[in-house]
Amino acid sequence: MAESQLTVITPSYRNDYDLAVDLCRSMDQFLQVPFKHFLIVPKSDIALFAPLRSANRILISKEELLHRHGFYKIPFPKRIYIPGLVDIRTREQWYRPGVGRVTGWLVQQLVKLSAPELADSDYYMFIDSDNVLFRPMKMTDLVSSDSIKLARRPLTPDMHEHLLWHRNALSLLGVAQFDDTKYNYIGHFIVWKRDAILALQQQIEKISGEDWRTTLSKKKAVSEYILYGVFCETVGKAANYHVLVEPELTCSYWTSSEEDLNVPEMAKSLKPTHVALHIQSTIPMPMEKRRRLISALADSAPPKPAA
């Protein structure tokens, strides 16, 4: 993997601005691979995110990336509020002729799958705003036996939505028979290969007979990470795009309440291979408390093994 060819992509928006600030700061300090970082935000948030621009950090709007492919943001209000009667926060909605309404959730996946349009790189890493590096990430963390690592873990029977995404991935790729273990490829600091993304797009178009964005927009229930992973282990298997591994870079914490988060218990999940922390952005927690928590966890992490 050439050290000059890593493009990092982070979709974000105004509610996650402070998280994005911390992510960018940690990348500049700890990502020890030459990189270009694309922050992709709504057009209305460009001014807010402008201070994060730098020589290697580029800010673009989702509208700029998607309008060229016929997607238009529906101007819904972000909140419908009638005192004492209604208080509804609406989700982002898009429209594409021939498809109809497309959710903001799916649009974000289309943005990631459009990575080759952003930069002529061989490798693309995806990092959400609610991640932060706490120690160096080097080339050796991303490769094994000269191949790019792709993390996966088995799906379990109770993961109904993930299993639906897996079934839809097989359908989109034209895989009629699949009897192997089903894996979840959703994660953080995921690296995809340019040639694999382009081959995936071409396979979807071959099966559907139409543009891959149109096909995915109509399918609706799609996970970009599972789709990419299933492609690499089925149709693209012979190309040996990746070496498949257990997740080893990020320690993630998911909960509905900050009261469930405490350093002694959280630290039990930290492994020597972890270089980053992910605390779900929807957990209601003041930023200063979040920063103190991350700092304490970083201090508690077991030593990283020598390269």
Side-chain angles (χ1 to χ4, degrees):
M1 176 176 175
E3 290 205 355
S4 61
Q5 296 178 318
L6 182 64
T7 293
V8 181
I9 297 172
T10 300
S12 193
Y13 76 125
R14 65 175 50 247
N15 287 9
D16 286 350
Y17 175 73
D18 289 332
L19 299 176
V21 169
D22 287 359
L23 168 63
C24 292
R25 185 182 298 120
S26 75
M27 288 174 61
D28 294 342
Q29 180 179 0
F30 291 119
L31 185 52
Q32 297 184 358
V33 180
F35 67 91
K36 287 286 185 182
H37 186 197
F38 284 81
L39 280 169
I40 304 174
V41 303
K43 185 177 180 180
S44 59
D45 294 345
I46 289 288
L48 174 64
F49 280 79
L52 299 182
R53 284 192 178 107
S54 68
N56 68 334
R57 182 161 292 113
I58 300 155
L59 183 60
I60 68 171
S61 71
K62 281 194 289 187
E63 289 87 343
E64 177 185 347
L65 183 61
L66 291 165
H67 280 179
R68 69 187 73 161
H69 299 295
F71 289 86
Y72 298 92
K73 195 171 182 180
I74 301 173
F76 283 168
K78 293 183 174 64
R79 183 183 186 189
I80 301 173
Y81 179 64
I82 303 175
L85 294 176
V86 175
D87 188 2
I88 302 174
R89 297 185 183 275
T90 63
R91 295 182 179 272
E92 185 178 281
Q93 302 288 324
W94 292 69
Y95 173 81
R96 193 187 194 207
V99 174
R101 184 178 62 86
V102 183
T103 65
W105 179 77
L106 182 54
V107 159
Q108 185 154 302
Q109 298 182 65
L110 297 177
V111 165
K112 293 176 185 176
L113 287 162
S114 298
E117 287 190 37
L118 293 174
D120 188 17
S121 296
D122 289 335
Y123 305 94
Y124 303 89
M125 177 186 284
F126 302 96
I127 312 176
D128 288 339
S129 301
D130 52 0
N131 289 270
V132 63
L133 285 160
F134 67 90
R135 57 186 172 193
M137 175 184 281
K138 302 179 180 180
M139 191 70 66
T140 52
D141 295 310
L142 305 178
V143 300
S144 176
S145 302
D146 296 325
S147 293
I148 299 297
K149 297 177 183 178
L150 183 65
R152 67 178 187 177
R153 57 170 63 89
L155 289 170
T156 56
D158 61 312
M159 300 174 74
H160 304 294
E161 193 166 37
H162 292 69
L163 290 168
L164 172 61
W165 295 334
H166 194 281
R167 289 195 300 273
N168 284 344
L170 293 172
S171 173
L172 288 163
L173 297 170
V175 179
Q177 186 69 28
F178 186 89
D179 298 319
D180 296 331
T181 301
K182 299 178 177 67
Y183 287 98
N184 179 16
Y185 292 88
I186 299 172
H188 305 282
F189 292 85
I190 302 296
V191 180
W192 289 354
K193 295 184 67 177
R194 178 186 184 86
D195 53 353
I197 301 172
L198 295 176
L200 165 61
Q201 295 171 0
Q202 291 165 8
Q203 179 67 14
I204 293 172
E205 292 178 349
K206 175 184 174 182
I207 297 301
S208 69
E210 58 187 358
D211 170 67
W212 66 268
R213 293 178 185 81
T214 300
T215 302
L216 295 187
S217 297
K218 290 178 179 178
K219 197 71 171 180
K220 298 187 185 301
V222 177
S223 162
E224 76 279 32
Y225 291 123
I226 291 178
L227 176 61
Y228 180 89
V230 170
F231 170 77
C232 290
E233 68 171 321
T234 57
V235 178
K237 184 175 182 179
N240 292 318
Y241 292 116
H242 293 274
V243 57
L244 304 173
V245 300
E246 288 288 321
E248 57 187 16
L249 293 178
T250 309
C251 190
S252 288
Y253 302 100
W254 307 81
T255 180
S256 59
S257 170
E258 65 173 298
E259 302 305 320
D260 298 331
L261 301 177
N262 64 83
V263 173
E265 285 300 313
M266 296 170 74
K268 293 177 182 178
S269 303
L270 284 167
K271 298 178 181 179
T273 58
H274 287 150
V275 297
L277 295 165
H278 164 252
I279 300 177
Q280 175 65 13
S281 62
T282 55
I283 300 172
M285 181 190 308
M287 277 303 301
E288 287 310 312
K289 180 174 181 179
R290 180 187 179 93
R291 288 166 177 153
R292 289 194 301 270
L293 185 61
I294 289 172
S295 178
L297 286 168
D299 291 341
S300 301
K304 188 178 179 183

